Structure formats: structure tokens, C-alpha cells
Amino acid sequence: MEEIKKLHTAILEGDAQMAHEITEKALAAGIEPMQLVNDYMIPAMAEVGERFECNDYFVPELLIAARAMKSALTLVRPLLAASGAEPAGRVVLGTVKGDLHDIGKNLVAAMLEGNGFEVIDLGVNVAPEQFIASVKEKGANIVAMSALLTTTMPAMRTTINALKEAGVRDQVKVLIGGAPITQRYADEIGADGFSDNAVGAVTVAKKILAA
Ligand code: B1M
């Protein structure tokens, strides 16, 4: 399906309707949802980020690109979830307090769901108390946190400490990621796992649950 290549352009140019339509047609033509995400959506958003960094794109362009990406993801997410076999774990996921970036977090959700995890997505700007309440209510075994700002990274440590204080730290594994996060930082704050990408997050989630 030749038209699929336009998905990259549609996201890059922030054409949500086009992104939605091409994704719909590609899925109808039998293209794997995972292929759409890995080969078109992630590279398109990576290029959006690069353009922003060299002042070719500004905040409005970022927002419309993000909207186009989300529009395509709404079609793909349920399919990724449906393709999963046995539930591999129950994940409470969110972007930490003070941080509104959710594109990477949504990709992590889609990848986890696509690999059989149940994902309780708390959204963005998630306070430690919200993570704790959800862990208790849903009986989650993974707390997954995303942060894109160096100023919001400390909220991960705060949340881990809050999990300890609430007496639920031993019930869950903590997985973290996001552009400024490193393995070193994960070790420093006592997280159980770190991944620098959404696909790797699945591998790490499986590994830490098995440990
Ligand atoms: Co903002 N932003 N932003 N932004 N933004 C960055 C992060 C920035 C690096 C841009 C820059 O200046 N070069 C910079 C942070 C600098 C820093 O902290 N050192 C920045 C800034 C400063 C800001 C504002 C403060 C700007 C302002 O208002 N002055 C503001 C903050 C708002 C807030 O959060 N409180 C802001 C706002 C925005 C928009 C709203 C315009 C928009 C977000 C829209 C949205 O998310 N709905 C936006 C965007 C789009 C970006 C960039 C350009 C792209 C982020 C993105 O979506 N990347 C970003 C620059 C960049 O990254 N090059 C930037 C694509 C996405 C697929 O990648 O999120 O990294 P990413 O996710 C990856 C991995 O990191 C990993 O997997 C994903 C897929 O492989 N991953 C995980 C992510 N979470 C994970 C969790 C895991 C595991 C892996 O386990 C749980």
C-alpha cells in the first residue's frame, strides 16, 4: 500500500484527518498495527522533535503534530490491545506531576497493551497520591512513570518515596522512562527498570516482573 508513506508526512504536517484516514485504510489493507507505529508514527514524531530543536518548528507545529499522532493512535491502540494473549501484568501508567508531555507515554501504553499488559492510564500531571490510590484500587503490579522535563524528573523519586510511605512499594515494580531519564538515574532513585523507548519498555516490564 503506497499511500502508507503519507502517514509520516501527515503527522509531520499535523494533518490529523489525513493521519486518521491513512491509518484506517492501512489497517483495512492488513498492515500490522505494530508496523504502523514503529515504521511511521515513531519516526515522524522523532523528526518533529528534531525540527523543533533546530528552530524549524515551534510550539503550534508541535501541538498539531501531536494531535495528528493521537488521532492515528486512537485506531491502533485497541488493536494492539486485542492482539495480546494472556494478561502479562497490570500497569498503572502516567506522566509525572508537573509534566504534560504524553506522546511517548501513550506509545508506551500502546506497546504494553499490544503485548498483553492491562494498562490503567492516569494521563498527565499525575501526583504521587494518584499513583498510590490506583495501585491500591486496581491491584497493579507495575507503576510506570514518564517524564520529559529535567524539572519534573524529581517527581519520580518523590513518587517512589510516597509508595514506600504508603506501604505498597513491595507490591509493585517501578518502571521509568522519558527523554531525560537514564539507567543511572533509575538506579539512583531506586526504580526497578528503565527503558529509553516504548518497545524496550515491554521487554523491561516483563523482565522486572519475572525477577
Ligand atoms: Co516540550 N519539551 N515542552 N512540548 N517537547 C521537550 C521535552 C524539550 C526537550 C524541547 C527542547 O527544548 N529541546 C524541552 C525540555 C527541556 C528540558 O527539560 N531539559 C521541552 C520544554 C522546555 C517544554 C515546555 C517547558 C515549553 C514551554 O512551555 N516553554 C512545555 C512544558 C509543559 C509541561 O509539561 N508542563 C512543553 C510543552 C510541549 C508541548 C505541549 C508543546 C508538546 C507536548 C504535546 C504532548 O505531549 N501532548 C511538546 C513536545 C511535543 C516536545 C518535543 C518536541 C517532543 C516530545 C515528544 O513527543 N517526542 C520535545 C523535544 C524532543 O524530545 N526532541 C520537547 C516524541 C516521543 C515519541 O518521544 O516522549 O521521548 P518521548 O518518548 C519516547 C522515549 O522517551 C520513551 O519511549 C518513547 C517512545 O520511544 N519513553 C518511555 C517515554 N516515556 C517512557 C516511559 C517508560 C519507558 C519509556 O516507562 C514507563
Side-chain angles (χ1 to χ4, degrees):
M1 189 194 152
E2 194 56 26
E3 207 185 350
I4 195 178
K5 290 181 187 148
K6 290 188 190 154
L7 179 55
H8 185 105
T9 315
I11 292 173
L12 203 58
E13 294 178 353
D15 189 335
Q17 196 183 335
M18 173 80 82
H20 197 273
E21 279 172 19
I22 297 172
T23 304
E24 210 163 33
K25 282 185 192 166
L27 292 170
I31 311 274
E32 285 297 317
M34 202 72 94
Q35 190 191 340
L36 286 175
V37 172
N38 286 334
D39 295 354
Y40 300 95
M41 297 185 192
I42 292 179
M45 279 314 299
E47 191 172 336
V48 169
E50 284 160 20
R51 288 189 181 204
F52 182 76
E53 273 159 12
C54 62
N55 292 328
D56 186 17
Y57 270 18
F58 297 95
V59 171
E61 285 91 348
L62 296 186
L63 283 172
I64 59 167
R67 194 183 56 188
M69 172 84 171
K70 275 188 177 176
S71 164
L73 265 182
T74 53
L75 293 170
V76 169
R77 277 180 74 160
L79 296 175
L80 288 174
S83 69
E86 290 297 303
R90 190 166 290 148
V91 184
V92 169
L93 170 70
T95 302
V96 296
K97 190 172 180 182
D99 201 321
L100 304 176
H101 295 84
D102 67 355
I103 296 164
K105 186 264 297 168
N106 292 344
L107 287 170
V108 170
M111 291 300 145
L112 286 168
E113 284 172 350
N115 284 273
F117 285 82
E118 182 186 336
V119 177
I120 299 118
D121 188 347
L122 301 180
V124 297
N125 193 22
V126 180
E129 307 79 56
Q130 292 172 271
F131 280 109
I132 290 164
S134 190
V135 165
K136 287 181 176 170
E137 190 190 327
K138 309 283 182 183
N141 49 10
I142 295 186
V143 169
M145 293 183 272
S146 178
L148 263 287
L149 300 171
T150 45
T151 50
T152 57
M153 285 167 63
M156 292 177 158
R157 190 197 292 270
T158 309
T159 304
I160 291 176
N161 288 340
L163 288 168
K164 285 182 193 157
E165 280 163 27
V168 293
R169 177 66 184 94
D170 292 342
Q171 293 168 34
V172 293
K173 302 288 182 180
V174 175
L175 169 64
I176 64 170
I181 309 300
T182 59
Q183 182 63 57
R184 188 172 167 186
Y185 185 68
D187 294 341
E188 192 186 310
I189 66 171
D192 300 294
F194 154 76
S195 171
D196 65 2
N197 66 80
V199 175
V202 175
T203 314
V204 176
K206 287 179 179 166
K207 196 171 138 194
I208 58 180
L209 278 186

